[in-house]
Amino acid sequence: QFPFGRRLPCDIYWHGVSFHDNNIFSGQVNKFPGMMETVRKITLSRAMRTMQDLFPLEYNFYPRSWILPEELSLFVTEVRTMKDSNPSWKPTFIVKPDGGCQGDGIYLIKDPSDTRLTGSIQSRPAVVQEYICKPLLMDKLKFDIRLYVLLKSLEPLEIYIAKDGLSRFCTEPYQEPTLKNLHQVFMHLTNYSLNIHSGNFIHSDSVNTGSKRTFSSILCRLSSRGADVKKLWSDIISLVIKTIIALTPELKVYYQSDIPAGKPGPTCFQILGFDILLMKNLKPMLLEVNANPSMRIEHEQELSPGVFENVPSPVDEEVKVAVIRDTLRLVDPQKKKRKDTHLSFHTYLLIFPTQLQSLHAGNAGMKDKQHKHHSLKLSLKLKFYLKLGSCQSLKQAREASEELPDAPKSPEAALPSLCLKQVFPKYAKQFSYLRLVDRVAALFIHFLGVKGTTKLGPTGFRTFIRNCKLSNSSFSMAAVDILYIDITRRWNSMGIDKESGMCLQAFVEAFFCLAQKKYKSLPLHEQVSSLIEFCECRLAALHGKRLLWGCG
């Protein structure tokens, strides 16, 4: 660890919070610039809503959402309209603060009038969503799934999903929401950080029982009941890919701002935590995306009032160690150079000493013989990995493996198969038609002009209109200026970023308006697709002319 930075360059930088933890100019970083902002509840909801406008059936895995306080009147009106059209509809809504985490500030309501508008709602905006009242239950308890997703590259897009995840359980038997039980957080909220304080929370040494289990153990039980587990996995993969597709346009704008094209700089990768809820019919629903999922593999156990010890968590260890290990294997910069083995020696030096420290800390006050045995066994394994880390050749690695008892007899045997499964570009053909906003973002970035900015100025917007020949007698340049001012002013009044200019989301709204003007009879996604193709052709023709002029 280098808390004050490091002068010499590294292959891989493992930042704790964001891309900007340190100023770096080469290598690989485990964070994308702008990821924390992109997956915040409000930004995620806006991105998903844009995709729902374009492809409503493909994006029906995200609950209906409204943003408070700016859409409070819309929320009230739409709920009233839906109740009038369907009197039997008795919804429940969940309110989530935009910057909240670990269940902080979340509450349930039955009516829009119950929204808590007093206090900090203006300074702390929130998302309100339709609450999923009929979740799949296991042992009469509600649970959610934390899946780990590796975004290995943005351009080209490369996505991996861990083959196993965590299932986090509530600690009180579930009942559908009523006015009497709305405030029972241990019944309705699956957050681990909340339920761990419940007297009913069960820490288990087994991955199949307790208040935190592996997702694979849930799949086994579902399979034994006759559920179509293959279809469920297929639906989850589809949900992950579609969500990443919704997020990439905003990420690309941040990326070009911090790492301009054509200049030397680091590349990025990031492990994301997808929180998914299964409905009673096994339909997966996206709850949120976490930019910094916890990678702890132990939990605190209270020995006496105020006295705690760290105890290894077999469930966390089984899932999280594999995710980090295989992420490092996939991004290993030496992998292509190594011819005699696929084993990444230095990877172990990066991850396992930290785990060894955790085990020693957890073992310090441990009385349980089973935990001691588990810790000793893993420590021996880690010593083998660490010794392997100092080896420079396959021959040295084999010699190292012979020196330690119970060590794998070859470095090939030391590593299990990858737990991360590539889903994109593997399934790119099935989802490429959804990447319309990606292409709109490419147009936006093209006309940004000044490198390092994320906002489009009025001159850049006029140049976009002029170069793509979108103005005419019925849509003058004066009308273009009015469109820019109206949309930009509204979006800037909603955001916390005070930089002047048109953000990507505002540009997308303006682009949709232009598409609807130009192609009135088509559905929205065809209108947008047609305008994208029109603009791309115009710019290609303009580029061709410039090349000819250059030759001349």
Side-chain angles (χ1 to χ4, degrees):
Q1 294 186 24
F2 293 90
F4 304 107
R6 170 184 153 105
R7 289 184 179 180
L8 296 173
C10 297
D11 289 327
I12 297 173
Y13 295 84
W14 197 274
H15 286 183
V17 179
S18 75
F19 175 82
H20 296 287
D21 283 3
N22 290 292
N23 292 322
I24 49 176
F25 307 98
S26 64
Q28 298 180 84
V29 197
N30 72 320
K31 304 289 180 190
F32 278 92
M35 182 64 83
M36 285 185 69
E37 293 81 1
T38 303
V39 301
R40 285 174 73 99
K41 294 176 180 66
I42 285 179
T43 317
L44 174 64
S45 292
R46 283 177 174 151
M48 299 303 282
R49 185 184 298 174
T50 298
M51 299 306 291
Q52 286 172 337
D53 289 342
L54 289 168
F55 306 103
L57 293 179
E58 286 87 341
Y59 280 83
N60 62 2
F61 58 82
Y62 191 69
R64 198 174 328 186
S65 306
W66 298 265
I67 296 160
L68 301 179
E70 66 194 60
E71 293 180 349
L72 177 61
S73 59
L74 179 67
F75 174 44
V76 171
T77 303
E78 288 190 355
V79 170
R80 186 185 299 125
T81 303
M82 287 185 282
K83 281 184 175 180
D84 290 344
S85 62
N86 183 10
S88 63
W89 184 56
K90 300 189 185 303
T92 302
F93 303 96
I94 184 166
V95 183
K96 305 175 182 178
D98 182 43
C101 61
Q102 299 181 335
D104 176 42
I106 297 177
Y107 61 96
L108 272 59
I109 58 174
K110 295 295 284 184
D111 190 87
S113 61
D114 299 329
T115 307
R116 300 171 194 168
L117 291 177
T118 56
S120 61
I121 190 69
Q122 297 296 332
S123 59
R124 195 185 186 194
V127 168
V128 57
Q129 295 179 323
E130 192 171 347
Y131 181 75
I132 299 164
C133 293
K134 295 187 183 296
L136 177 71
L137 303 181
M138 197 69 68
D139 303 327
K140 299 182 180 179
L141 298 170
K142 179 181 174 181
F143 67 96
D144 75 352
I145 303 156
R146 162 62 61 85
L147 279 184
Y148 296 95
V149 174
L150 171 64
L151 181 56
K152 185 172 178 284
S153 167
L154 203 54
E155 194 62 62
L157 186 59
E158 197 170 345
I159 308 167
Y160 291 78
I161 298 180
K163 295 177 182 177
D164 204 355
L166 300 173
S167 298
R168 304 170 300 183
F169 281 74
C170 285
T171 46
E172 288 183 13
Y174 180 77
Q175 296 174 5
E176 287 197 26
T178 64
L179 289 173
K180 289 183 179 180
N181 68 29
L182 277 185
H183 307 295
Q184 295 185 26
V185 293
F186 297 146
M187 176 188 292
H188 295 294
L189 303 185
T190 53
N191 305 70
Y192 168 77
S193 52
L194 290 176
N195 282 281
I196 196 171
H197 299 295
S198 165
N200 297 328
F201 192 93
I202 300 170
H203 290 292
S204 176
D205 289 338
S206 168
V207 298
N208 305 312
T209 59
S211 297
K212 189 191 282 188
R213 313 175 195 177
T214 59
F215 180 45
S216 55
S217 71
I218 301 298
L219 292 176
C220 284
R221 288 187 63 176
L222 290 174
S223 180
S224 67
R225 296 179 186 177
D228 190 343
V229 172
K230 283 188 177 179
K231 182 182 183 305
L232 174 56
W233 255 120
S234 176
D235 291 344
I236 289 173
I237 290 170
S238 176
L239 177 153
V240 168
I241 293 173
K242 289 173 181 177
T243 302
I244 297 288
I245 285 174
L247 297 176
T248 49
E250 196 81 42
L251 283 174
K252 285 182 178 178
V253 173
Y254 280 109
Y255 196 90
Q256 65 79 36
S257 174
D258 282 284
I259 311 171
K263 289 189 176 182
T267 56
C268 303
F269 64 95
Q270 189 154 351
I271 298 170
L272 302 171
F274 272 64
D275 292 346
I276 296 168
L277 186 75
L278 296 182
M279 295 177 66
K280 205 172 183 177
N281 61 1
L282 294 187
K283 177 183 174 65
M285 298 292 288
L286 178 68
L287 300 180
E288 59 185 65
V289 180
N290 196 315
N292 293 311
S294 169
M295 287 296 172
R296 286 192 63 176
I297 57 167
E298 71 279 322
H299 61 83
E300 286 185 340
Q301 183 171 298
E302 192 167 13
L303 298 176
S304 58
V307 180
F308 295 87
E309 69 170 356
N310 288 321
V311 178
S313 168
V315 179
D316 288 293
E317 187 181 295
E318 179 159 328
V319 174
K320 294 175 182 178
V321 169
V323 169
I324 295 179
R325 177 198 67 218
D326 291 348
T327 295
L328 290 169
R329 288 166 73 186
L330 286 168
V331 302
D332 177 9
Q334 301 299 319
K335 185 167 56 177
K336 293 180 181 178
K337 299 177 184 177
R338 197 178 298 108
K339 294 180 180 179
D340 59 349
T341 177
H342 293 294
L343 184 60
S344 171
F345 299 120
H346 70 274
T347 293
Y348 295 109
L349 296 173
L350 285 169
I351 176 62
F352 285 115
T354 307
Q355 189 183 10
L356 198 56
Q357 289 165 11
S358 299
L359 283 167
H360 288 165
N363 201 30
M366 206 177 293
K367 297 176 182 178
D368 188 277
K369 287 185 179 179
Q370 189 177 359
H371 278 161
K372 277 191 175 180
H373 174 71
H374 168 82
S375 180
L376 180 63
K377 190 175 176 183
L378 192 52
S379 292
L380 280 171
K381 197 174 180 182
L382 298 184
K383 283 177 184 174
F384 166 70
Y385 289 147
L386 291 170
K387 188 163 182 67
L388 204 59
S390 62
C391 300
Q392 300 300 317
S393 69
L394 187 61
K395 183 181 178 183
Q396 286 182 341
R398 287 193 177 120
E399 290 171 357
S401 69
E402 292 168 2
E403 293 178 21
L404 285 164
D406 298 324
K409 294 305 176 188
S410 70
E412 292 89 342
L415 284 175
S417 59
L418 280 171
C419 79
L420 294 168
K421 174 187 177 183
Q422 190 196 77
V423 295
F424 203 96
K426 184 177 181 180
Y427 302 122
K429 287 184 180 179
Q430 295 171 232
F431 299 95
S432 58
Y433 73 99
L434 298 173
R435 303 187 70 181
L436 291 183
V437 185
D438 243 16
R439 293 164 70 189
V440 175
L443 293 170
F444 176 78
I445 291 168
H446 180 82
F447 288 99
L448 275 178
V450 180
K451 288 188 176 181
T453 184
T454 59
K455 297 274 186 91
L456 185 67
T459 304
F461 189 71
R462 287 172 69 92
T463 306
F464 156 66
I465 296 291
R466 195 178 292 114
N467 286 4
C468 295
K469 297 188 177 180
L470 296 178
S471 61
N472 51 44
S473 56
S474 60
F475 186 59
S476 65
M477 291 307 289
V480 169
D481 291 339
I482 292 170
L483 177 69
Y484 176 88
I485 292 167
D486 286 349
I487 292 179
T488 301
R489 185 179 293 160
R490 182 159 45 79
W491 276 93
N492 286 348
S493 68
M494 294 188 295
I496 54 173
D497 181 7
K498 298 305 178 186
E499 181 189 349
S500 62
M502 176 179 268
C503 65
L504 173 64
Q505 292 166 328
F507 181 79
V508 169
E509 183 183 326
F511 195 90
F512 283 18
C513 286
L514 294 169
Q516 288 167 319
K517 283 177 182 290
K518 192 169 180 66
Y519 305 99
K520 294 178 181 177
S521 60
L522 298 175
L524 180 62
H525 71 274
E526 290 184 26
Q527 292 173 332
V528 172
S529 178
S530 299
L531 185 58
I532 290 169
E533 288 174 12
F534 180 83
C535 292
E536 288 173 344
C537 286
R538 291 291 184 187
L539 292 177
L542 186 63
H543 181 67
K545 283 182 182 179
R546 284 174 178 166
L547 286 176
L548 286 172
W549 292 336
C551 292

